Amino acid sequence: MDVLEKIVVPIAAVSVSVVLAFFTARAQARTQVRGQQRLDYLLSAYRTLADCVHRRLSVEQAHAFERAMDDVILLGTSEHIELATSVRDSLAREGDAGVDELLIALRRDLRSELGLKASELGGVPSIRMIVADSEAQGA
């Protein structure tokens, strides 16, 4: 019996350790994938919102803006959700809203999640190109 205990107990302990390590690694991998998906969605939302700033939106851009806001409300931090909700409420009430604060918060947190240094850029960087209308050029 003493020999059996010397063999079975260590084998059982190792087996339990291996099973626990497997499930822990699997859970960590799942968490990592979810984190990457969240980051991808928020980066896409940031780009879409930044693209819509200070311009008249087409129907397609308006739908993209709405989807980006939904993604921020679904996947953002509590600060992002609060800011996005404020933008949504302002749009509903007044038909207009500024998204600068939301974009600044998103940029700050995304840079942090990506391991980048904090940006010293104060406002929202945007470059708006004026594209000549093809019909106006032909006339």
Side-chain angles (χ1 to χ4, degrees):
M1 189 72 160
D2 196 30
V3 173
L4 186 61
E5 286 178 2
K6 287 182 180 178
I7 294 173
V8 171
V9 170
I11 289 174
V14 167
S15 298
V16 168
S17 296
V18 167
V19 169
L20 287 175
F22 170 77
F23 284 110
T24 300
R26 197 165 127 194
Q28 287 174 338
R30 218 177 9 252
T31 300
Q32 204 170 27
V33 166
R34 283 187 197 133
Q36 185 61 47
Q37 286 176 328
R38 177 182 174 271
L39 184 62
D40 290 344
Y41 274 95
L42 288 176
L43 278 169
S44 177
Y46 175 86
R47 288 183 186 122
T48 299
L49 294 174
D51 187 45
C52 293
V53 171
H54 307 299
R55 65 170 45 161
R56 204 167 275 232
L57 302 180
S58 67
V59 172
E60 293 82 17
Q61 288 172 314
H63 288 305
F65 179 88
E66 292 168 355
R67 281 190 307 274
M69 291 293 288
D70 289 342
D71 287 345
V72 171
I73 290 171
L74 177 65
L75 300 167
T77 65
S78 57
E79 179 187 13
H80 301 153
I81 294 167
E82 183 179 314
L83 290 167
T85 302
S86 174
V87 169
R88 182 194 63 199
D89 293 347
S90 180
L91 279 170
R93 261 191 330 272
E94 302 161 20
D96 193 287
V99 295
D100 290 0
E101 286 183 57
L102 175 58
L103 285 172
I104 291 168
L106 280 168
R107 182 182 63 224
R108 180 192 63 234
D109 294 345
L110 288 169
R111 289 185 65 81
S112 174
E113 284 193 44
L114 292 168
L116 301 172
K117 237 174 51 171
S119 171
E120 295 183 22
L121 186 60
V124 177
S126 62
I127 298 171
R128 294 292 169 243
M129 306 301 291
I130 298 173
V131 179
D133 185 18
S134 60
E135 289 181 24
Q137 282 182 342

